[in-house]
Amino acid sequence: MAEKNIKLSKKENRIQVLKFALFSVSAGVIQTISFTLLNESLDWSYWPCYLIALTLSVLWNFTLNREFTFQSANNVPLAMAKVFGFYCVFTPLSVWWGSALTGAGWNEYLVLFGTMAVNLTTEFLYDRFFVFRDSINTNKRARKKNG
């Protein structure tokens, strides 16, 4: 059951940010490896390599952060739809600026890592205050720990 207006302590907030960052780093590794494999082995432009790598990292990151960072028992399809909404905005913008920057001569990996930093920050805020805001610490793991 989702709870309204969940208030976390400063320590809980710090732990949540740390978990999100660590899981995002693991997603970043997936994104970097898949981007590198595609970028170096295929004669594709920046955007399809980036889009495939981003999709793989988002699926990984959503799964881990829902279960372990936000410990949410909310409706998975609804939560995923909300995250999909975020990426309906973020993806075209990041493909646009990534293509523009690489087209202007910026290194693909510099653009990729800069974009990943923007993604980490904006997605944490979006997830924390929109996707999971009313369902933090409601899954079995959280209830068992707090029970």
Side-chain angles (χ1 to χ4, degrees):
M1 175 72 38
E3 298 177 22
K4 298 290 180 185
N5 301 319
I6 294 170
K7 181 82 170 145
L8 300 178
S9 70
K10 287 182 182 182
K11 180 181 177 184
E12 289 172 318
N13 276 310
R14 283 192 301 269
I15 289 170
Q16 196 175 68
V17 168
L18 181 62
K19 283 181 182 179
F20 191 89
L22 290 173
F23 288 134
S24 294
V25 166
S26 72
V29 169
I30 289 169
Q31 186 171 350
T32 301
I33 290 170
S34 56
F35 177 84
T36 301
L37 288 172
L38 294 167
N39 189 53
E40 299 299 329
S41 65
L42 302 172
D43 190 26
W44 290 358
S45 63
Y46 173 84
W47 76 264
C49 299
Y50 167 73
L51 190 59
I52 292 167
L54 177 66
T55 301
L56 294 172
S57 74
V58 168
L59 292 171
W60 174 266
N61 206 29
F62 171 81
T63 302
L64 291 177
N65 279 309
R66 181 185 163 279
E67 180 64 29
F68 298 104
T69 301
F70 300 108
Q71 297 186 356
S72 174
N74 70 350
N75 180 309
V76 174
L78 178 60
M80 186 55 98
K82 289 177 179 180
V83 170
F84 180 75
F86 173 85
Y87 282 98
C88 283
V89 174
F90 182 82
T91 303
L93 288 174
S94 61
V95 167
W96 170 75
W97 78 60
S99 293
L101 292 172
T102 57
W106 286 45
N107 179 277
E108 295 94 347
Y109 296 98
L110 178 63
V111 173
L112 177 67
F113 293 129
T115 301
M116 289 167 66
V118 170
N119 188 8
L120 179 134
T121 305
T122 57
E123 188 179 1
F124 174 79
L125 295 171
Y126 184 83
D127 284 356
R128 171 62 177 90
F129 296 108
F130 180 67
V131 176
F132 300 114
R133 86 171 165 234
D134 294 331
S135 67
I136 293 171
N137 294 336
T138 58
N139 70 9
K140 288 179 185 177
R141 175 176 281 100
R143 288 193 311 262
K144 188 175 183 179
K145 181 180 76 176
N146 297 327

